Amino acid sequence: MKKNSLQEKYLIFRIKHSKDPQAYAQLYDFYVDRIFRFILFKVKTVEDAEDITSEVFLKTWNYIRTTQKRIENLNALLYKMSRNAVVDYYRSKQRTEELMSDEDQFKKIMRARDLDQEIDNKFELKNIENYLNQLKDEYREVIILRYVEEFSINEIAQILEKTKGNVRVLLHRAMQRLRELMGE
Amino acid sequence: MSNITEQLKELQSVKPKKDWVEQNKEQLISQITAQTPQKQSTVFGYWYLVKMLVPMRFLNFVAKPVGIVTIALFAVITSGIYSVNASRGSLPGDMLYSVKLTSEKVQVTLAISEEKQTQKHLDFANERANEIEKIIQQEKDPVKKQEQIFIAADNLKKEMDHAQVKMEEIKVKVQEKEKTQKVLEVIKRIDQQSEELSDKLNEQKDQVTENKESVKKINEAVNAANKTGIKAVEVIVDKYEKGEADISSEEVFLTVEKKLQQAQDKIEQVKEQEAQTEELKKEQQEETVVNEEEPSAPEEDSPQDEDVSPAEQTTEPEVANSQTAQENAELAKELLDQGDLSSAVQKVIEIEIITSQIEETADEADGLMELQVVREQDQQEEVQESETVDNSTEEEIEISR
């Protein structure tokens, strides 16, 4: 199923109209991995990411069920809810961003993954994640959305609620910063 | 740079634990199933489905405007229909009356065949008669009453004219036997209807005898109705004689005879009217002589003179006319006996023309005389007033002394 496809719209309709849990289950299957990943890059701990992800899906269910507005873009909706949930999370826990050592980071990420992943890449992956974490949240976010999730500028603009121009500029600056950090 | 993007892309491998995913899913489902489902109405449901499936731009710029325009059109049409319906009970002078007349015209146009159109004209003429009935009952103001009756009766006459024209067309056009049969049924019905209409109008006439103008107008309507009936008979006879109709000679004969009888009754009626008018004119002539002696109202004389002289002139032809009518009637009887039905009908038509003419003149004269009577009364009042003024000034002069 593609995002924002007719099939998706039909599922949303079923949820709204008949409160069909199975329809929502299908949407969950489709989106959960990506949402989880997105949140993980923001909160860095797996447990937190798991908690927040479940929270996001529950909230989204309620939102679809009760809103009078037409849901144009579920994808954007989920990401927006995720961002908001992360913000709320930080506010409520009043956490400060922990600077982590490379190794801790590495371990954490490995825990989150299926162990039959390609291990060859892990060092490089480790590196880049390390650098990503050094970026400010805004930059990291846009890079993830663009190069990991492979969204178009348009889609990112919808998720971040910015203009396309803003997104391009932001992305450009983010990539520059990343390159600087990586010493290229 | 590409290195970076490649590296970033590889981050796609970051995924949540499968166990956790499953567990979370179950938890989520159980949570949401626990919520009591609310039933939404199916109508809105399907609307949401449509809204979901159709992109927003289309909805806003195409579907909604189309929907709005359709509703607007529908509203206009419904209000049109509503006002047409509301206009049904309206009378001349009401705002919606013109709507009523227009909708009637539309109905005539919609009736495709000529006989159906003729039928419609009859129906509407009947409606005019009903209106007159209502006016007589409801309207208190005599001026308005007269006006409204005038309008209704006038329109009735128009309907009758239309009906007659249509029947002439039928006479000329319709020739195949099967069609003629159907048409003939309608024509017979029309004859009947016009008779009923005449009777109705005559009754109404009796209710407004005080108003000469109205009487005159209603008479015109009666004559129009009669003429329509005669026309119908003319068509029947024509079809019969051409062999296009499946109708017994006896039936046709009786129909024509009936019309002739009606014509003769009319002759009798106008004879009486003629006589009355004669009487009134003679009285008036005497009065004119008396009035000329008085100094006041010199202006009144000239119209009276005008009235008198044409009356004198027309006295002779009028008597001749009713006599002519009588002669025609006798001729018609002969033709009927001989079996020359169409000529008989032609005679009946001529009789109708004569009798309506007589009636019209009589009514005119009546009306004019009434006008004079009114003028005389006014004039007398003036005289009385001026006398009282003189008296009062005299008194004043006396007092001032």
Side-chain angles (χ1 to χ4, degrees), chain B residues 70-241:
Chain B
T70 314
I71 291 174
L73 266 175
F74 184 70
V76 170
I77 292 172
T78 338
S79 67
I81 293 171
Y82 180 75
S83 60
V84 165
N85 272 339
S87 71
R88 267 204 213 133
S90 64
L91 298 174
D94 291 346
M95 267 197 301
L96 286 174
Y97 191 64
S98 52
V99 174
K100 187 179 188 181
L101 292 180
T102 314
S103 77
E104 284 177 2
K105 288 195 187 115
V106 170
Q107 287 181 55
V108 170
T109 327
L110 290 176
I112 304 173
S113 66
E114 265 117 6
E115 70 270 17
K116 288 211 177 88
Q117 288 186 345
T118 318
Q119 184 61 59
K120 281 284 172 201
H121 286 303
L122 256 297
D123 293 337
F124 297 143
N126 206 31
E127 179 59 30
R128 297 292 91 77
N130 290 339
E131 285 166 14
I132 294 177
E133 180 81 43
K134 279 189 211 161
I135 294 167
I136 291 173
Q137 286 172 2
Q138 293 173 9
E139 186 58 57
K140 298 302 168 198
D141 179 1
V143 175
K144 279 193 191 165
K145 200 171 179 179
Q146 186 182 314
E147 271 179 25
Q148 290 173 7
I149 291 178
F150 191 93
I151 294 172
D154 214 40
N155 281 316
L156 201 160
K157 277 170 66 186
K158 283 187 192 161
E159 295 296 339
M160 293 291 89
D161 288 339
H162 289 315
Q164 287 159 32
V165 166
K166 279 276 171 286
M167 284 196 277
E168 182 61 32
E169 282 177 33
I170 290 173
K171 192 175 94 173
V172 170
K173 284 187 194 168
V174 179
Q175 278 164 7
E176 316 88 51
K177 213 166 179 189
E178 311 87 55
K179 200 170 179 219
T180 316
Q181 205 47 41
K182 251 195 327 173
V183 171
L184 227 52
E185 292 304 315
V186 177
I187 302 277
K188 282 193 245 176
R189 175 100 186 87
I190 286 173
D191 176 26
Q192 201 185 338
Q193 264 185 304
S194 45
E195 257 188 64
E196 290 165 5
L197 195 55
S198 270
D199 293 336
K200 201 189 250 181
L201 286 166
N202 276 323
E203 272 176 49
Q204 289 166 359
K205 192 173 66 174
D206 291 335
Q207 294 177 39
V208 287
T209 39
E210 72 283 1
N211 188 334
K212 300 289 178 200
E213 281 299 312
S214 295
V215 168
K216 176 172 178 232
K217 205 64 194 176
I218 295 179
N219 275 334
E220 288 175 23
V222 171
N223 289 335
N226 289 339
K227 218 170 160 182
T228 309
I230 296 172
K231 188 74 188 173
V233 171
E234 186 191 326
V235 175
I236 294 172
V237 166
D238 179 72
K239 293 297 163 205
Y240 167 75
E241 288 193 344

Side-chain angles (χ1 to χ4, degrees), chain B residues 9-121:
Chain B
K9 189 164 175 180
E10 276 158 15
L11 290 174
Q12 282 176 357
S13 60
V14 173
K15 286 200 170 136
K17 285 182 280 192
K18 283 213 168 80
D19 300 338
W20 173 83
V21 169
E22 285 305 314
Q23 199 185 26
N24 189 37
K25 183 169 159 185
E26 278 171 32
Q27 215 177 19
L28 185 65
I29 299 293
S30 63
Q31 270 177 323
I32 62 185
T33 339
Q35 294 170 352
T36 45
Q38 300 151 323
K39 287 272 176 189
Q40 262 184 326
S41 75
T42 11
V43 176
F44 284 120
Y46 288 122
W47 173 236
Y48 279 133
L49 179 61
V50 171
K51 270 176 96 167
M52 285 277 116
L53 297 175
V54 169
M56 188 139 95
R57 234 180 255 160
F58 175 78
L59 206 61
N60 274 341
F61 292 122
V62 179
K64 275 189 189 157
V66 168
I68 289 169
V69 169
T70 314
I71 291 174
L73 266 175
F74 184 70
V76 170
I77 292 172
T78 338
S79 67
I81 293 171
Y82 180 75
S83 60
V84 165
N85 272 339
S87 71
R88 267 204 213 133
S90 64
L91 298 174
D94 291 346
M95 267 197 301
L96 286 174
Y97 191 64
S98 52
V99 174
K100 187 179 188 181
L101 292 180
T102 314
S103 77
E104 284 177 2
K105 288 195 187 115
V106 170
Q107 287 181 55
V108 170
T109 327
L110 290 176
I112 304 173
S113 66
E114 265 117 6
E115 70 270 17
K116 288 211 177 88
Q117 288 186 345
T118 318
Q119 184 61 59
K120 281 284 172 201
H121 286 303

Side-chain angles (χ1 to χ4, degrees), chain B residues 146-390:
Chain B
Q146 186 182 314
E147 271 179 25
Q148 290 173 7
I149 291 178
F150 191 93
I151 294 172
D154 214 40
N155 281 316
L156 201 160
K157 277 170 66 186
K158 283 187 192 161
E159 295 296 339
M160 293 291 89
D161 288 339
H162 289 315
Q164 287 159 32
V165 166
K166 279 276 171 286
M167 284 196 277
E168 182 61 32
E169 282 177 33
I170 290 173
K171 192 175 94 173
V172 170
K173 284 187 194 168
V174 179
Q175 278 164 7
E176 316 88 51
K177 213 166 179 189
E178 311 87 55
K179 200 170 179 219
T180 316
Q181 205 47 41
K182 251 195 327 173
V183 171
L184 227 52
E185 292 304 315
V186 177
I187 302 277
K188 282 193 245 176
R189 175 100 186 87
I190 286 173
D191 176 26
Q192 201 185 338
Q193 264 185 304
S194 45
E195 257 188 64
E196 290 165 5
L197 195 55
S198 270
D199 293 336
K200 201 189 250 181
L201 286 166
N202 276 323
E203 272 176 49
Q204 289 166 359
K205 192 173 66 174
D206 291 335
Q207 294 177 39
V208 287
T209 39
E210 72 283 1
N211 188 334
K212 300 289 178 200
E213 281 299 312
S214 295
V215 168
K216 176 172 178 232
K217 205 64 194 176
I218 295 179
N219 275 334
E220 288 175 23
V222 171
N223 289 335
N226 289 339
K227 218 170 160 182
T228 309
I230 296 172
K231 188 74 188 173
V233 171
E234 186 191 326
V235 175
I236 294 172
V237 166
D238 179 72
K239 293 297 163 205
Y240 167 75
E241 288 193 344
K242 286 187 184 155
E244 291 163 12
D246 199 6
I247 186 172
S248 72
S249 56
E250 201 181 333
E251 191 181 340
V252 181
F253 183 86
L254 285 170
T255 314
V256 178
E257 195 180 46
K258 192 174 181 198
K259 279 285 172 259
L260 183 54
Q261 187 58 51
Q262 288 172 357
Q264 282 177 315
D265 293 340
K266 189 79 185 182
I267 295 175
E268 292 305 315
Q269 186 189 327
V270 297
K271 263 195 196 162
E272 271 186 46
Q273 262 186 307
E274 262 183 337
Q276 279 179 9
T277 321
E278 278 286 305
E279 287 273 335
L280 283 166
K281 286 206 175 117
K282 279 191 186 148
E283 280 174 33
Q284 201 194 23
Q285 278 174 334
E286 290 166 12
E287 276 183 29
T288 320
V289 174
V290 173
N291 279 340
E292 276 174 1
E293 291 179 4
E294 286 187 6
S296 57
E299 323 108 48
E300 302 303 330
D301 286 349
S302 17
Q304 280 176 4
D305 287 339
E306 283 173 25
D307 281 343
V308 170
S309 25
E312 280 178 348
Q313 285 170 9
T314 53
T315 314
E316 302 285 33
E318 268 182 46
V319 170
N321 270 345
S322 78
Q323 209 162 39
T324 322
Q326 192 58 52
E327 285 162 18
N328 273 320
E330 280 156 27
L331 268 172
K333 189 85 178 53
E334 279 178 31
L335 287 165
L336 196 58
D337 289 336
Q338 288 168 18
D340 187 357
L341 296 173
S342 48
S343 307
V345 173
Q346 288 305 315
K347 285 292 163 209
V348 171
I349 293 175
E350 283 172 36
I351 295 169
E352 195 278 327
I353 294 173
I354 296 170
T355 47
S356 21
Q357 186 60 50
I358 297 172
E359 196 176 55
E360 214 174 298
T361 328
D363 285 342
E364 284 257 1
D366 265 354
L368 283 168
M369 272 187 267
E370 187 176 273
L371 211 60
Q372 275 176 42
V373 170
V374 170
R375 278 192 203 148
E376 280 168 26
Q377 284 176 352
D378 286 347
Q379 187 204 323
Q380 279 179 1
E381 281 173 18
E382 278 179 30
V383 170
Q384 285 172 3
E385 275 180 24
S386 60
E387 284 177 2
T388 16
V389 168
D390 288 341

